[in-house]
Amino acid sequence: MSPGEMKPEVAQAMADPAKSQYKGIWVYLEHAEKTPAPVSWELIGEARRLAKDLKAEVSAVLLGHDVKAMPEEAFAYGADRVYLVQSPVLRDYRTRPYARVAVELVEKYHPEIFLLGATAQGRDLASTVATKLATGLTADCTSLDIDQETKDLRQTRPAFGGNIMATILCRHRRPQMSTVRPHIMPMPEREEDRHGEVVEDEFQMAEEEVAEKVLTFVRKKTEGIPLEQADIVVSGGRGTGGAEGMDKIRRLAEALGAAVGASRAAVSNGWIGQDHQVGQTGQTVRPKLYIACGISGSIQHLAGMQSSELIVAINKDPKAPIFEASDYGLVGDLHQVVPALTKAFERLIEGQEARP
């Protein structure tokens, strides 16, 4: 039922639930096997930036078992406070117990904004918590800002297949919830002398109440250097023309010690696997060097790589949008340019290795 179809008294009761009582920005501190996910630190850094406009504090939410060492890490990256809940039931992530704790904490402490990583775990938890709290959730945001007039969170993300950028507001419900993809926000500097407050809460839930059981973890094997860990990424798009063209991309990546990326068009055509896709429907990367070969530069692709430190584009169309997002552009046929670059880099590296 839309607000327009509700009785006025029902709509009023659901709207503006005493917004003034909601304060502060929360970040969900995601971890697996006691290893924090770097996106959590990225979000704490972003929360600190947003907190300046709201004159608010930044808090991390840490759920787990035997994770008492992690709050100090959160303080070093910018958190003022950590809400800590420990229980054997929370040893491994499972939707039901984690969502129950998160909802209880929100209802007790009333955060104004709640940020989570757009990872498998973060997306699962965010959608469950937002549903239980009947509040708004914007998924896969690429930028966040505070509206200077209303102080609402402006949540921007690609929409309509990546053809436009949409800015979404949650005006009447709290907390305002967003998931943000890893590597979109910069990693904040650590401050070893920062300290904060740890607020411990209790959690009562028996293991027998949880239907899901974690038996073991099986890590997925990937070809070559994982995209998310690479300092250099060489990507191919529709302009490669097929699997043979993608082989040229692989050889250049091998010469540079880089990971191989691809646009959605290259993946959809079956020229390379889904694991290599960069963009809104693929992975987000933030390497020191990103080389885009035969990629036009659609919004959905830019959403996954525009935060790279240095972007080089190779495309035979001088009007390709990718050049507007690039630091350096090379207009030419990639089937000639890429092999020439590969040979040049191989000679350079061989020369360096041959030096006494």
Side-chain angles (χ1 to χ4, degrees):
M1 180 181 293
S2 69
E5 297 171 317
M6 296 177 183
K7 293 181 180 180
E9 60 271 25
V10 175
Q12 181 63 36
M14 292 189 65
D16 298 313
K19 286 167 55 176
S20 60
Q21 69 176 301
Y22 288 80
K23 304 287 186 186
I25 304 176
W26 281 16
V27 173
Y28 172 62
L29 208 171
E30 179 178 335
H31 61 92
E33 299 177 356
K34 300 181 184 178
T35 301
V39 68
S40 301
W41 312 139
E42 295 166 9
L43 290 180
I44 288 177
E46 180 66 5
R48 285 239 63 88
R49 187 183 68 81
L50 298 172
K52 291 178 182 176
D53 285 335
L54 294 174
K55 296 180 173 56
E57 293 185 329
V58 174
S59 301
V61 177
L62 175 58
L63 315 179
H65 181 61
D66 193 18
V67 290
K68 277 197 169 181
M70 286 188 205
E72 291 303 322
E73 287 281 290
F75 298 143
Y77 281 108
D80 300 304
R81 182 181 300 110
V82 172
Y83 292 102
L84 173 64
V85 180
Q86 296 194 97
S87 165
V89 177
L90 302 173
R91 183 186 306 276
D92 298 310
Y93 175 78
R94 289 175 292 179
T95 307
R96 187 179 176 195
Y98 269 63
R100 181 165 149 184
V101 179
V103 169
E104 289 177 359
L105 290 174
V106 168
E107 291 177 338
K108 182 176 182 180
Y109 295 106
H110 304 117
E112 186 173 13
I113 295 171
F114 195 0
L115 307 178
L116 303 91
T119 59
Q121 185 181 131
R123 286 168 172 155
D124 181 63
L125 181 62
S127 58
T128 307
V129 170
T131 300
K132 290 182 178 296
L133 294 171
T135 191
L137 166 66
T138 304
D140 287 12
C141 294
T142 56
S143 73
L144 300 171
D145 281 296
I146 301 298
D147 186 299
Q148 294 303 313
E149 183 177 345
T150 65
K151 299 303 180 184
D152 287 333
L153 180 65
R154 292 167 51 85
Q155 306 156 92
T156 301
R157 55 152 296 163
F160 294 104
N163 292 312
I164 65 168
M165 298 299 287
T167 296
I168 298 168
L169 303 175
C170 180
R171 286 180 167 154
H172 302 298
R173 305 293 300 182
R174 294 292 183 268
Q176 303 160 93
M177 294 185 64
S178 306
T179 61
V180 180
R181 300 186 119 200
H183 310 302
I184 289 286
M185 306 302 179
M187 181 67 75
E189 295 288 336
R190 284 178 58 95
E191 298 180 43
E192 302 297 344
D193 57 347
R194 282 192 95 261
H195 301 286
E197 176 189 12
V198 176
V199 178
E200 287 199 63
D201 270 63
E202 294 184 353
F203 176 59
Q204 302 296 333
M205 189 174 196
E207 179 63 35
E208 291 72 23
E209 297 180 60
V210 187
E212 310 96 327
K213 308 298 177 189
V214 178
L215 303 180
T216 186
F217 288 95
V218 179
R219 298 193 181 279
K220 186 178 181 181
K221 295 181 180 178
T222 58
E223 174 192 346
I225 301 172
L227 276 171
E228 68 275 13
Q229 298 176 12
D231 286 334
I232 304 174
V233 176
V234 182
S235 283
R238 190 186 301 277
T240 58
E244 188 176 335
M246 287 303 301
D247 286 341
K248 296 183 176 74
I249 304 301
R250 287 191 177 89
R251 286 195 283 273
L252 176 57
E254 185 178 354
L256 292 171
V260 177
S263 70
R264 184 172 61 182
V267 173
S268 298
N269 281 308
W271 302 340
I272 192 168
Q274 170 75 35
D275 290 347
H276 296 270
Q277 184 173 333
V278 175
Q280 181 193 0
T281 51
Q283 297 191 55
T284 302
V285 297
R286 197 187 184 94
K288 294 177 180 176
L289 172 61
Y290 188 88
I291 303 177
C293 308
I295 294 175
S296 63
S298 65
I299 290 177
Q300 84 85 22
H301 185 76
L302 297 178
M305 45 66 73
Q306 60 188 352
S307 298
S308 302
E309 291 184 24
L310 184 73
I311 299 173
V312 177
I314 301 170
N315 200 300
K316 63 182 179 181
D317 179 4
K319 296 181 181 179
I322 189 70
F323 288 123
E324 297 180 11
S326 303
D327 299 286
Y328 297 96
L330 204 165
V331 179
D333 185 348
L334 72 87
H335 297 284
Q336 298 176 3
V337 174
V338 171
L341 283 175
T342 303
K343 288 182 180 178
F345 283 122
E346 287 174 343
R347 283 197 297 268
L348 182 64
I349 293 170
E350 287 173 1
Q352 290 178 340
E353 291 176 347
R355 289 179 182 174

